[in-house]
Amino acid sequence: MMKAVTLVFCASLIWAQAAQIKSRQTGGRIIGGEVANVAQFPFAAAIYKTTTDGTYFCSGALLNTQWILTAGQCVYRGLSFTIRLGATNLNSNDPNVIRLSTDNYFLHPDYDPTTLINDVGLIKLRIAITYNDYIKPVNILASSTLPDSASVVTVGWGQTSDEIAGLVDDLNYVFLVTLSNEECRLAFGNQVDDNMVCVEGNYNEGTCRGDLGSPLIQYGISSITYHVGISSFISSNGCESTDPSGFTRTAPYVEWITNVTTNN
């Protein structure tokens, strides 16, 4: 029997005001994960989006010296962005951290904020950065199909339980497995299209509020990291339910990503 659970914005976006970060009720976490080591995920980007009604937190992935890939929700109606690269702890004074500000973003032209179809966005940094051991880009395959039952990993600073709201200081990661879209629709109904993918781990492992825009990673030969998905939605039953976590597949958008980052 199809459950058709409601899609919930995968990061509920986290609202930051003054020094305190509080959760709004719409979004995604790393549940059941582990704390990442320094430089383990050097492409991880912390994103603070300013809009007319507040500041919101998302994650993203560094594509090259000037571009961040994230969810469409994370750039939609954004006025400005502050990006943090180079450290796993949000509150550290790590000398390897760089902070950049920009107001230049690109939202997929067919993004639908209601259905979360085409939930893809790009942020362009004002100046090109320099890579080091702590800041490196993720790879995207020009053409690839993410298979069912594939081993993947996602990272983020989102909630680690439904009861404790707000971001965590340290970047967390969790290993997951991709589901077929038929399995995904058993949880979320026909609102799941072919450009989305669901993942699940042991029991309730997955994303939560604060993880919107986080990359889904697949390891290739020699442990090369490939970006294969963007955290987009979770179940309305909560982060700690056994329902899967939802991502936008990266592969269908490679042409759009390439065109935007090459011509702008």
Side-chain angles (χ1 to χ4, degrees):
M1 179 180 295
M2 186 175 291
K3 291 190 280 185
V5 175
T6 304
L7 297 183
V8 177
F9 294 96
C10 179
S12 156
L13 302 182
I14 299 298
W15 178 42
Q17 185 167 5
Q20 189 174 11
I21 298 178
K22 298 181 180 179
S23 173
R24 291 163 62 100
Q25 296 304 309
T26 41
R29 98 248 115 156
I30 296 298
I31 298 291
E34 299 180 44
V35 174
N37 295 322
V38 174
Q40 185 176 357
F41 302 100
F43 48 80
I47 303 169
Y48 296 86
K49 177 181 75 168
T50 300
T51 70
T52 56
D53 62 353
T55 300
Y56 299 80
F57 182 86
C58 280
S59 294
L62 183 67
L63 290 184
N64 56 42
T65 59
Q66 215 163 354
W67 290 92
I68 305 290
L69 177 60
T70 187
Q73 300 170 64
C74 292
V75 301
Y76 183 58
R77 295 179 175 174
L79 297 177
S80 64
F81 305 87
T82 299
I83 313 296
R84 181 183 171 99
L85 298 168
T88 58
N89 189 292
L90 291 179
N91 296 308
S92 72
N93 294 316
D94 192 326
N96 299 304
V97 173
I98 62 171
R99 298 173 181 82
L100 308 105
S101 296
T102 184
D103 57 4
N104 198 358
Y105 72 87
F106 294 80
L107 176 64
H108 192 281
D110 297 320
Y111 168 66
D112 188 325
T114 301
T115 62
L116 301 183
I117 290 174
N118 304 310
D119 190 13
V120 184
L122 289 162
I123 299 173
K124 185 178 183 180
L125 305 176
R126 287 178 177 153
I127 59 173
I129 63 168
T130 300
Y131 300 144
N132 56 44
D133 289 341
Y134 307 94
I135 302 174
K136 295 178 182 178
V138 70
N139 300 281
I140 293 183
L141 293 175
S143 177
S144 67
T145 300
L146 182 60
D148 301 339
S149 303
S151 177
V152 289
V153 62
T154 192
V155 301
W157 288 276
Q159 291 179 212
T160 54
S161 78
D162 287 322
E163 289 72 33
I164 303 174
L167 304 176
V168 295
D169 288 342
D170 293 306
L171 184 68
N172 276 244
Y173 70 97
V174 64
F175 286 96
L176 304 165
V177 173
T178 59
L179 303 178
S180 68
N181 274 27
E182 289 72 20
E183 291 177 283
C184 190
R185 292 184 183 112
L186 291 176
F188 296 111
N190 291 330
Q191 53 201 327
V192 173
D193 76 355
D194 290 341
N195 290 344
M196 299 175 180
V197 63
C198 281
V199 295
E200 66 177 8
N202 293 321
Y203 185 57
N204 65 352
E205 292 176 335
T207 56
C208 191
R209 293 177 178 84
D211 290 326
L212 180 61
S214 293
L216 189 67
I217 299 301
Q218 188 174 33
Y219 288 106
I221 297 173
S222 300
S223 297
I224 295 174
T225 52
Y226 291 105
H227 191 297
V228 295
I230 305 167
S231 182
S232 179
F233 59 90
I234 58 170
S235 169
S236 57
N237 289 329
C239 302
E240 293 187 83
S241 74
T242 56
D243 294 328
S245 303
F247 287 73
T248 299
R249 296 176 186 264
T250 309
Y253 301 96
V254 170
E255 183 177 356
W256 178 78
I257 292 168
T258 301
N259 286 339
V260 172
T261 56
T262 300
N263 299 315
N264 293 280

